Amino acid sequence: MAYTETVYDSVAIQKILPHRYPFLLVDRIVELEPRVRIVGIKQVTANEHYFVGHFPNAPVMPGVLQIEALAQVGAILALREFEDRDTKIPFFSGIENARFRRPVVPGDTLVLEVTALRIGSKVQKMKGVAMVDGKVTAEAEIMSVIADRPSNL
């Protein structure tokens, strides 16, 4: 599916998430159903910093970074519910049933679909599925805790 609408662009995403380059792994949000479901896009380019060593002459996006990208999209779904989100920070508290199905390489458009299983004031649980061309590349259940952001961040 080609996504042409943008719900949040990279500037809007950075107003919600505390992540920054080189660890911001979502470029835009293309679908949003508050407290239920969100879809983000990561354009995987040849100049991603991790491709230098993973792997020379055969670049593959690490599976753990696909899970991180899903978590960031899920964090947008959760944090947008907080009026004081600029004082909050999401921390992983668990990953269950993670599976890696196929490689993601430079030039791929990674579609990151996250569905809320539980959205609370502190604890979140979500199901994330990463896809390229409609084929699953990674999936996991992701748990996080929304904490107060340290004042030095």
Side-chain angles (χ1 to χ4, degrees):
M1 171 184 238
Y3 290 98
T4 56
E5 184 177 329
T6 297
V7 177
Y8 291 132
D9 63 12
S10 63
V11 173
I13 288 168
Q14 290 180 63
K15 289 179 180 174
I16 298 171
L17 288 182
H19 305 74
R20 295 296 179 263
Y21 177 83
F23 213 71
L24 181 60
L25 299 174
V26 57
D27 297 321
R28 63 191 177 108
I29 299 300
V30 295
E31 289 184 22
L32 173 66
E33 187 177 346
R35 301 184 61 84
V36 175
R37 182 177 165 275
I38 188 169
V39 178
I41 301 290
K42 166 67 176 154
Q43 293 298 147
V44 181
T45 64
N47 63 349
E48 305 287 351
H49 68 283
Y50 45 81
F51 286 143
V52 173
H54 197 268
F55 300 96
N57 302 315
V60 175
M61 182 181 190
V64 295
L65 292 183
Q66 293 178 55
I67 301 297
E68 173 63 28
L70 287 166
Q72 289 180 19
V73 170
I76 293 168
L77 183 65
L79 285 172
R80 65 176 304 283
E81 299 298 321
F82 290 83
E83 287 186 27
D84 62 343
R85 64 181 155 257
D86 59 333
T87 68
K88 303 296 182 189
I89 190 166
F91 290 116
F92 265 128
S93 60
I95 301 170
E96 295 177 348
N97 303 313
R99 297 288 181 266
F100 304 98
R101 305 289 184 198
R102 60 185 61 236
V104 174
V105 299
D108 283 345
T109 299
L110 191 61
V111 177
L112 306 155
E113 184 174 342
V114 178
T115 304
L117 301 175
R118 180 185 192 284
I119 296 253
S121 61
K122 294 250 187 231
V123 178
Q124 322 295 317
K125 184 172 184 177
M126 301 185 189
K127 167 75 176 170
V129 179
M131 295 170 281
V132 172
D133 296 329
K135 296 176 182 161
V136 175
T137 63
E139 59 189 321
E141 290 178 10
I142 302 162
M143 284 72 63
S144 65
V145 173
I146 305 296
D148 291 327
R149 192 182 302 190
S151 60
N152 62 342
L153 292 181

